[in-house]
Amino acid sequence: MSTPAPTSNVHLWVRAEQRPREERVGLTPSGAAELIAKGFRVTVEESSQRIIPIAEYTAVGCETAPEGSWEDAPADAIIFGLKELPETGTPLKHRHIMFGHAYKGQASGRVLLDRLKAGGGTLYDLEYLTLENGRRVAAFGYWAGYAGAAVSGLAFAAQAKGETCPPVDTFPSAEAMAQAVRDALGGATPSALIIGALGRVGTGAADLCERAGISVTKWDMAETASGGPFPEVLEHDLFFNCILASPGCPVFVPESAKTAERNLRVIGDVACDPQSDFSPVKVYDHETSWAEPVVRAHDNPVLDVMAIDNLPSLLPKESSEDYASQLLPHLATLNRIDDDVWGRAKAIFDENV
């Protein structure tokens, strides 16, 4: 007797990312195949920049749609992307899965919530998909740390030549990224202090440093419990902040560090929240970019800060595969969207909208 095919009423629509040079995707072809086997309908938009070719999705049974056509998707489709939507101001009628950046007072976030309210849509924010203990079910943190340490290493190498860090672009692999830092350092072995070394972000930063020949001192909550000051930060060549700003967070790099006697030359603020009152790095006030990876906080002695806010995008293949594998078990429960992680995310949306 044959087993009946699984059934599901879920239509997952993977949209093309609109943010320039955003090559990541939250569902791989193998993951799509698993969902289709469970009875899901999966539509993947064509994309001019996605790291995974559309042919790999069609090969496993996905339907395709033109790039940017999600607004015309069936009303019951769940629209899945990573980064922000184009700011057209149109009402949003669908259920959306993405990083909304909408619940911490951001101006663009309020606009997004107003569009969803006007259209009757819903946001399931990827940042707020959590287990009952509050831990996020999926995160890009490891690759943020890895890439952040790499760009900071490149900045240190550039300083040694009397230069500033050149523009960066996507790397074909994590090993290629580490090799680029090794080559730039040319045998130099700078020292780095990582705060938050036991977390995903700090682990990624430490792994890059170890592959690139940067010696690492690993700190976490135990080492910072005193509340500071922390002269050890200034004794290292590089410092990586790998913890999110929050009330009560100690200051790791005060503004006075600019003119203090120090070995510190490069700060990799991977957490990158300079506008927050709680930021533990007080020597700069704005994010950096791929085109200008560092901001020079002080000239003599030189102090550069790397604060790129989309670091995992520099490694689109590894970061997509890792994130998608973490998220897939929860995407598979979208047929119970009112329960568990999805129900908690919906409750947060309802509170904020």
Side-chain angles (χ1 to χ4, degrees), residues 1 68 71 77 208 266 296 353:
M1 183 175 179
E71 288 189 82
L208 180 283
V266 177
R296 182 141 292 179
V353 75

Side-chain angles (χ1 to χ4, degrees), residues 41-331:
R41 180 182 176 189
V42 179
T43 298
V44 180
E45 287 187 2
E46 297 166 346
S47 170
S48 56
Q49 59 185 12
R50 186 185 297 122
I51 190 64
I52 301 175
I54 192 70
E56 295 188 24
Y57 290 96
T58 58
V60 299
C62 295
E63 302 172 43
T64 63
E67 182 167 355
S69 61
W70 57 268
E71 288 189 82
D72 298 320
D76 64 347
I78 300 171
I79 312 300
F80 177 31
L82 295 177
K83 301 303 288 185
E84 63 271 20
L85 298 171
E87 293 187 359
T88 62
T90 57
L92 299 171
K93 64 184 179 182
H94 293 96
R95 294 169 290 177
H96 285 266
I97 301 171
M98 64 177 171
F99 287 102
H101 305 295
Y103 301 150
K104 296 179 181 177
Q106 303 98 322
S108 60
R110 187 66 255 171
V111 172
L112 173 63
L113 294 178
D114 287 344
R115 292 174 67 190
L116 288 161
K117 185 176 181 180
T122 304
L123 171 64
Y124 296 88
D125 197 309
L126 289 164
E127 186 177 351
Y128 294 88
L129 293 184
T130 60
L131 303 174
E132 288 186 358
N133 63 8
R135 183 174 174 81
R136 285 170 59 177
V137 302
F140 283 103
Y142 177 89
W143 296 108
Y146 191 99
V151 178
S152 300
L154 295 174
F156 182 86
Q159 273 190 25
K161 301 175 184 177
E163 302 169 357
T164 57
C165 188
V168 293
D169 206 337
T170 55
F171 287 80
S173 68
E175 178 50 41
M177 179 178 270
Q179 184 64 52
V181 180
R182 283 196 299 269
D183 292 346
L185 289 173
T189 56
S191 63
L193 174 64
I194 300 173
I195 295 184
L198 298 182
R200 289 167 167 159
V201 179
T203 299
D207 285 354
L208 180 283
C209 287
E210 288 159 7
R211 291 187 187 185
I214 299 169
S215 63
V216 178
T217 300
K218 299 179 181 180
W219 278 18
D220 211 274
M221 293 178 68
E223 291 81 3
T224 60
S226 68
F230 302 107
E232 295 89 344
V233 171
L234 303 184
E235 294 167 4
H236 290 74
D237 300 307
L238 300 103
F239 165 64
F240 298 112
N241 171 42
C242 296
I243 69 164
L244 288 172
S246 60
C249 179
V251 173
F252 303 140
V253 189
E255 187 173 7
S256 60
K258 293 179 181 179
T259 55
E261 184 176 341
R262 54 179 164 79
N263 294 325
L264 183 65
R265 293 294 181 266
V266 177
I267 297 168
D269 192 4
V270 183
C272 187
D273 201 3
Q275 278 85 40
S276 170
D277 292 339
F278 313 119
S279 173
V281 179
K282 300 298 187 184
V283 296
Y284 81 112
D285 62 3
H286 64 276
E287 293 86 353
T288 61
S289 66
W290 293 17
E292 296 182 2
V294 299
V295 56
R296 182 141 292 179
H298 200 67
D299 287 315
N300 187 23
V302 170
L303 181 62
D304 287 333
V305 183
M306 186 293 307
I308 295 172
D309 68 357
N310 61 335
L311 286 163
S313 300
L314 289 168
L315 284 169
K317 185 174 188 294
E318 283 96 340
S319 61
S320 292
E321 291 174 348
D322 182 20
Y323 187 83
S325 68
Q326 296 174 55
L327 187 62
L328 182 61
H330 305 283
L331 290 177

